[in-house]
Structure formats: structure tokens, C-alpha cells
Amino acid sequence: MSHIVTRTDDGSEVFVTVDGKEAGELPSGEDKTIHLPPGEHQIGGYVPTLFGYGRVTIEPITVTTTGNDVKNIAYTVAREKPEFTEITQTEG
């Protein structure tokens, strides 16, 4: 999982959730490895709001894992919209 910095990204740390449960922080410009059992999983997250009075939820995406395969997930902010996307091997 990667936090790809874009021009519209304000540099906030993203808190990743897997199947609705906390899975850790994903700081701006960094990568994180999460090991999941085979099956369908919801990868989402949130960013705390200024002064900690709430949070902005990032819509989850569905990722299906099998065996020892590797899924590459990217967090980006494009057109002021934060999102997670699955990156295929051909996308680099």
C-alpha cells in the first residue's frame, strides 16, 4: 500500500482500515505492507480533521486476495477527492 503525494494532497497522515478495523497509519509518501488472509476485504480509511474534532472517511474499495498473491493499493488525492485504488502490475 502506498500514499502517493499529489499536488492536491495536504500531507495528512491516512489511517487505514481493513474490513472496518484499524490497520495502522500511512504517512504521506510512504508505503505499508499489510498481510491478509485469502478472501474479499474492504480497504478504506480516514483522515482526522483539524484539531481532532472528527474525521473525513475515505470510501473503501473491495480487494480479493488468494494464496500468496500481492495486491498493490494506492492512496491518492485527485481533484480534491481522496481515494484508494488497486494498481495492476501493468500500471507500474
Side-chain angles (χ1 to χ4, degrees):
M1 178 171 296
S2 301
H3 183 158
I4 299 171
V5 179
T6 63
R7 293 187 328 191
T8 56
D9 189 325
D10 68 3
S12 296
E13 287 188 355
V14 174
F15 290 81
V16 177
T17 59
V18 176
D19 300 329
K21 297 178 183 155
E22 297 274 340
E25 295 180 46
L26 182 59
S28 182
E30 295 191 19
D31 299 328
K32 179 176 192 64
T33 300
I34 300 173
H35 298 277
L36 300 172
E40 190 172 279
H41 301 282
Q42 296 291 312
I43 309 295
Y46 65 90
V47 175
T49 58
L50 191 60
F51 306 118
Y53 290 119
R55 60 186 181 181
V56 175
T57 301
I58 304 153
E59 276 300 309
I61 62 169
T62 301
V63 175
T64 302
T65 59
T66 58
N68 292 320
D69 65 342
V70 174
K71 299 288 183 172
N72 296 305
I73 308 299
Y75 168 78
T76 58
V77 179
R79 296 183 198 104
E80 299 181 20
K81 181 181 188 285
E83 66 181 351
F84 287 99
T85 54
E86 184 174 348
I87 306 298
T88 62
Q89 293 295 340
T90 58
E91 291 181 61

